[in-house]
């Protein structure tokens, strides 16, 4: 194996090469219709994605952040309310809570999965708590049964953040079909990615679906009739058409990622590197393959020197971000999130990785 072999952190080229004709056909179909918003492509993708996830309704929106925000709005979460979110996640989860005027309340993750620890949720609930927002981080499903049990016992809503977990399973059921609503992102880097920004809300409640659709259409239920102070957040026809072309391949894409993850887990033998742990009730989709290492920066430098692309998710925890200094937290308040932020390193993970690329990553990790 040549040390000079380059392995990017991510590339879309293998899938784009396979889907070149279907994606071009999707563009031509929309272009020939000259209908770009709220048309047949949107309806078709919404129906197909709802079926895929086992949900009754899917409403396409502009992006993943809007999906979470609109779901919260539709559930009546607003000023004076609190929403429990994991202390270790991408900031969009907390921003959605902030945008509806509520307060994000951080709960530490399980260090093994990076997902919210159900055993720590109860102590964070107050009389202001309105909802719990678990995040299926890196494509690893949360332990949903205890989360749902707490929510039902305390009369709380559950909004799943599925931005990184398209097709992931918990006890044989797809994520996004457990809570009152779920938000998905179709950012291009996701397992199911558009060719631009896009998102969706899933729910089994027709009233929530109708309200999300109206809220994302300027608060309008029909033209020039506005029942809410809404937003402009709709899934456009082009992105819906591209997503439909890619949805038919999603299971194959996810299985390919799982095969790569299995090879990583079996081949990496460096005692300095802590590999991901998979909950026995889950089938992850490996949006991110994140390891932990006390000497994370040295490991990153070593890998980059061997031509291996890396990323860090997320080097500054939310409670220490400048935009959330108003919440009054300091270093040490969320030690698990801080430990993850200081030790996590994400390794190459994308559809179509070759055996040589996979072996190059394994060899580089083992040689550290």
């Amino acid at each position: 194996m040549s040390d000079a072999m380059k392995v990017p952190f991510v590339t879309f080229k293998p899938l784009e090469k396979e889907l070149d004709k279907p994606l071009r056909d999707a563009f031509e179909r929309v272009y020939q219709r000259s209908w770009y918003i709220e048309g047949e492509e949107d309806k078709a993708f919404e129906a197909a994605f709802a079926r895929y996830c086992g949900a009754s309704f899917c409403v396409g929106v502009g992006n993943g952040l809007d999906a979470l925000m609109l779901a919260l709005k539709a559930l009546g979460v607003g000023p004076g309310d609190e929403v429990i979110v994991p202390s270790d996640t991408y900031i969009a989860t907390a921003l959605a809570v902030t945008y509806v005027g509520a307060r994000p309340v951080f709960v530490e993750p399980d260090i093994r999965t990076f997902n919210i620890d159900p055993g720590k949720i109860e102590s964070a609930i107050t009389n202001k708590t309105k909802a719990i927002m678990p995040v299926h981080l890196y494509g690893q499903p949360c332990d949903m049964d205890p989360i749902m049990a707490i929510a039902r016992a305390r009369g709380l809503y559950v909004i799943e953040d599925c931005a990184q977990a398209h097709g992931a399973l918990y006890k044989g059921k797809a994520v996004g079909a457990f809570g009152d609503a779920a938000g998905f992102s179709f950012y291009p880097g996701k397992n199911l990615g558009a060719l631009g920004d896009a998102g969706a809300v899933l729910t089994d409640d027709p009233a929530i679906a109708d309200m999300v659709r109206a809220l994302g259409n300027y608060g309008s239920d029909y033209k020039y009739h506005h029942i809410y102070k809404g937003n402009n957040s709709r899934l456009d026809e082009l992105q819906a058409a591209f997503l439909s072309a890619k949805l038919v391949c999603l299971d194959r894409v996810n299985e390919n990622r799982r095969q790569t993850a299995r090879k990583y887990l079996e081949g990496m033998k460096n005692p300095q590197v802590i590999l991901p742990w998979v909950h026995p009730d889950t089938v992850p989709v490996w949006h991110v393959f994140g390891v932990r290492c006390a000497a994370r920066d040295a490991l990153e430098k070593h890998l980059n020197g061997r031509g291996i692309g890396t990323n860090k998710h997320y080097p500054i925890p939310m409670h220490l971000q400048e935009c959330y200094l108003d919440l009054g937290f300091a270093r040490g308040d969320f030690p698990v999130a801080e430990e993850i932020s200081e030790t996590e390193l994400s390794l190459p993970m994308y559809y179509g990785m070759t055996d040589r690329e996979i072996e190059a990553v394994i060899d580089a990790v083992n040689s550290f």
Side-chain angles (χ1 to χ4, degrees):
M1 182 71 64
S2 170
D3 288 351
M5 183 177 188
K6 303 289 186 184
V7 183
F9 174 67
V10 67
T11 177
F12 307 143
K13 291 190 181 301
L15 187 61
E16 287 175 346
K17 185 177 180 180
E18 290 182 21
L19 293 179
D20 183 78
K21 188 177 187 305
L23 291 173
R24 292 179 186 277
D25 288 348
F27 171 81
E28 285 295 334
R29 202 165 59 241
V30 174
Y31 189 61
Q32 292 301 324
R33 281 190 187 132
S34 298
W35 190 296
Y36 302 110
I37 298 288
E38 295 185 313
E40 293 304 313
E41 298 291 344
D42 190 19
K43 292 175 185 174
F45 173 73
E46 288 178 347
F49 193 62
R51 282 195 306 272
Y52 179 85
C53 295
S56 299
F57 303 97
C58 170
V59 181
V61 299
N63 55 68
L65 172 54
D66 283 359
L68 297 175
M69 179 190 69
L70 293 170
L72 287 164
K73 274 190 171 184
L75 290 166
V77 179
D81 294 330
E82 294 178 349
V83 177
I84 290 172
V85 301
S87 58
D88 177 51
T89 183
Y90 186 55
I91 199 165
T93 313
L95 289 176
V97 177
T98 300
Y99 286 171
V100 299
R103 178 186 175 92
V105 173
F106 301 130
V107 169
E108 291 273 63
D110 181 332
I111 191 69
R112 301 172 300 171
T113 64
F114 303 170
N115 282 332
I116 193 167
D117 186 340
K120 296 176 180 175
I121 292 175
E122 195 82 41
S123 62
I125 296 173
T126 72
N127 60 3
K128 295 181 180 179
T129 306
K130 193 79 171 278
I132 304 170
M133 190 179 286
V135 181
H136 305 292
L137 201 65
Y138 300 175
Q140 297 266 17
C142 292
D143 191 2
M144 290 304 298
D145 279 356
I147 294 172
M148 295 305 300
I150 292 167
R152 296 303 176 240
R154 302 296 293 266
L156 305 176
Y157 294 121
V158 173
I159 302 99
E160 296 174 73
D161 183 339
C162 303
Q164 301 182 5
H166 316 70
L169 305 177
Y170 175 77
K171 295 188 175 181
K173 183 177 177 180
V175 300
F178 290 89
D180 299 281
F184 282 81
S185 167
F186 302 121
Y187 179 78
K190 306 302 186 185
N191 290 33
L192 179 61
L195 304 190
D197 274 322
V201 175
L202 294 187
T203 183
D204 284 333
D205 188 329
I208 294 173
D210 288 346
M211 189 167 182
V212 168
R213 193 176 299 282
L215 284 167
N217 188 34
Y218 300 95
S220 173
D221 55 348
Y222 60 89
K223 198 173 181 80
Y224 303 133
H225 182 256
H226 303 270
I227 50 179
Y228 312 113
K229 297 180 179 71
N231 303 81
N232 175 15
S233 184
R234 299 169 297 197
L235 176 61
D236 71 68
E237 286 288 279
L238 272 175
Q239 299 305 338
F242 294 145
L243 287 166
S244 290
K246 296 179 84 172
L247 179 59
V248 297
C249 303
L250 181 55
D251 284 341
R252 177 162 58 87
V253 167
N254 287 342
E255 182 54 34
N256 182 266
R257 287 173 174 264
R258 282 192 283 269
Q259 290 173 6
T260 298
R262 279 194 288 270
K263 292 172 183 175
Y264 278 173
L265 293 170
E266 292 168 0
M268 292 179 184
K269 305 293 184 184
N270 191 325
Q272 297 183 78
V273 177
I274 301 171
L275 300 175
W277 178 80
V278 177
H279 191 290
D281 289 329
T282 70
V283 179
V285 293
W286 301 103
H287 173 62
V288 169
F289 190 94
V291 302
R292 288 195 301 118
C293 179
R296 187 264 308 279
D297 293 346
L299 173 61
E300 181 177 44
K301 184 177 180 181
H302 168 77
L303 294 177
N304 294 167
R306 295 275 298 253
I308 308 301
T310 57
N311 198 358
K312 294 189 281 281
H313 294 88
Y314 300 98
I316 304 173
M318 286 189 297
H319 67 285
L320 298 180
Q321 293 282 358
E322 283 188 52
C323 64
Y324 278 123
L325 293 181
D326 60 313
L327 295 179
F329 295 116
R331 183 168 296 278
D333 287 341
F334 296 94
V336 181
E338 290 170 27
E339 180 176 345
I340 292 171
S341 73
E342 293 165 3
T343 60
E344 192 275 347
L345 188 67
S346 302
L347 304 181
M349 174 60 72
Y350 50 87
Y351 173 80
M353 284 189 76
T354 66
D355 286 340
R356 288 189 71 237
E357 289 172 329
I358 294 167
E359 284 301 321
V361 176
I362 293 171
D363 289 349
V365 169
N366 288 342
S367 67
F368 174 64

